[in-house]
Amino acid sequence: MADTARINAVVSDIVEGIRAAMFKHNVTYDEYQIAQSFLLDAFAKKDIPLLLTTFFNTTIVKIEGKMMGGSKPSLEGPYFIEDSPLIPQDGELAAREQDQGRMKALLRGRVTDLDGKPLAGATINIWHSTPDGRYSGFHDGIAPHYHRGRIITDADGRYSVRTIMPTPYQIPSDGPTGALLTAMGRHTWRPAHFHYKITALGMHTHISQAYFEGGDYVDDDCCEDVCAEHVVAEKTDDGVRIVEVDFVIPEA
Ligand code: MBD
Ligand code: FE
């Protein structure tokens, strides 16, 4: 796919961009060596995926959105798990005993194609952190079925499922990526978010996130993923936050 001309064009421009920044700031040999040590440390500590997610994955997602059309996509992040529990329409994601009393959320919306035709039988994966900012299956031995599920859209392309509200999430702050953000005077927090991954026969796999209007870090996501289209103004009804998100999905 990628031919010599494309590899040459892309890599040359990347190198040119880095050189321009080095010239602009008169980067010293000491700083150059610090950067080299940083990259070696990030590699040794397996922190390269987080480093790339934090600084560049959003760019790839923006390009994908521009090329494909439909609803704007978002970062997948590191915590998706295949084959999460199947949840019936109007069902509820499993929550740990200690999370049961948390603010409830009702996630609903509709999935259509670019012509507005409903996509029935599409699979919507939804996952989010615990209220203490951990992801099941990855952190603290939390069983992987909590706060995750798959919902199949109905004949009208609709989905509806209940869960609890997530809270802001701190990416690992003790590794090289966290240290770099701290050294830049930045923080390591993401705004509270729901993750969505939608698959339907013959359609492009659509990955998205939803953020909450007025929430902490919505204007200052350390991964720079938030865009206006993904910030939901939730309504509260009977103490339940209603998070309504429609998805328009292009063909594969
Ligand atoms: C997350 O939970 C996340 O969603 C992203 C994009 C990066 C790190 C952690
Ligand atoms: Fe996340």
Side-chain angles (χ1 to χ4, degrees):
M1 241 201 353
D3 52 54
T4 304
R6 178 166 169 82
I7 295 171
N8 190 298
V10 173
V11 176
S12 295
D13 279 356
I14 288 172
V15 170
E16 242 349 283
I18 294 172
R19 284 181 184 153
M22 291 164 77
F23 270 118
K24 178 177 167 190
H25 299 288
N26 293 318
V27 170
T28 66
Y29 190 60
D30 279 354
E31 290 169 333
Y32 168 79
Q33 286 187 307
I34 289 168
Q36 179 168 292
S37 301
F38 170 80
L39 289 174
L40 289 170
D41 189 43
F43 181 79
K45 292 178 177 153
K46 301 190 179 355
D47 211 39
I48 298 286
L50 183 64
L51 183 70
L52 291 177
T53 291
T54 303
F55 290 99
F56 297 112
N57 200 344
T58 291
T59 311
I60 295 293
V61 164
K62 280 183 185 149
I63 295 166
E64 179 194 297
K66 184 183 73 173
M67 304 294 284
M68 300 293 305
S71 298
K72 276 202 172 184
S74 195
L75 291 177
E76 176 167 332
Y79 303 129
F80 171 67
I81 297 181
E82 299 273 0
D83 301 325
S84 65
L86 263 180
I87 310 289
Q89 282 286 347
D90 302 316
E92 192 160 348
L93 304 191
R96 295 178 303 175
E97 191 85 24
Q98 72 254 47
D99 299 328
Q100 304 271 346
R102 294 296 185 136
M103 170 68 83
K104 300 274 187 213
L106 171 61
L107 278 56
R108 68 182 185 203
R110 194 158 177 251
V111 184
T112 58
D113 68 11
L114 291 183
D115 299 325
K117 194 165 72 59
L119 289 173
T123 301
I124 307 190
N125 282 267
I126 292 174
W127 70 104
H128 63 86
S129 73
T130 62
D132 45 347
R134 313 271 82 196
Y135 277 89
S136 66
F138 293 90
H139 303 128
D140 302 342
I142 305 169
H145 66 284
Y146 288 121
H147 315 302
R148 298 176 184 276
R150 285 176 295 151
I151 299 101
I152 311 295
T153 56
D154 70 11
D156 197 29
R158 293 187 187 280
Y159 69 95
S160 170
V161 65
R162 284 168 191 270
T163 186
I164 53 173
M165 286 295 287
T167 52
Y169 174 81
Q170 188 175 31
I171 67 166
S173 58
D174 53 356
T177 303
L180 177 59
L181 288 168
T182 304
M184 293 166 73
R186 288 175 50 181
H187 61 72
T188 48
W189 287 89
R190 303 209 62 231
H193 56 277
F194 287 115
H195 287 271
Y196 304 85
K197 183 175 199 162
I198 302 165
T199 55
L201 213 63
M203 307 308 279
H204 179 68
T205 297
H206 182 76
I207 296 170
S208 196
Q209 297 193 25
Y211 307 97
F212 315 112
E213 196 173 75
D216 289 343
Y217 307 110
V218 167
D219 299 320
D220 190 21
D221 173 12
C222 72
C223 290
E224 299 175 67
D225 185 62
V226 181
C227 61
E229 291 87 339
H230 290 163
V231 180
V232 179
E234 332 98 87
K235 294 174 285 208
T236 304
D237 190 21
D238 274 344
V240 177
R241 295 290 191 93
I242 300 173
V243 178
E244 189 137 14
V245 183
D246 295 335
F247 299 98
V248 179
I249 300 192
E251 281 177 28

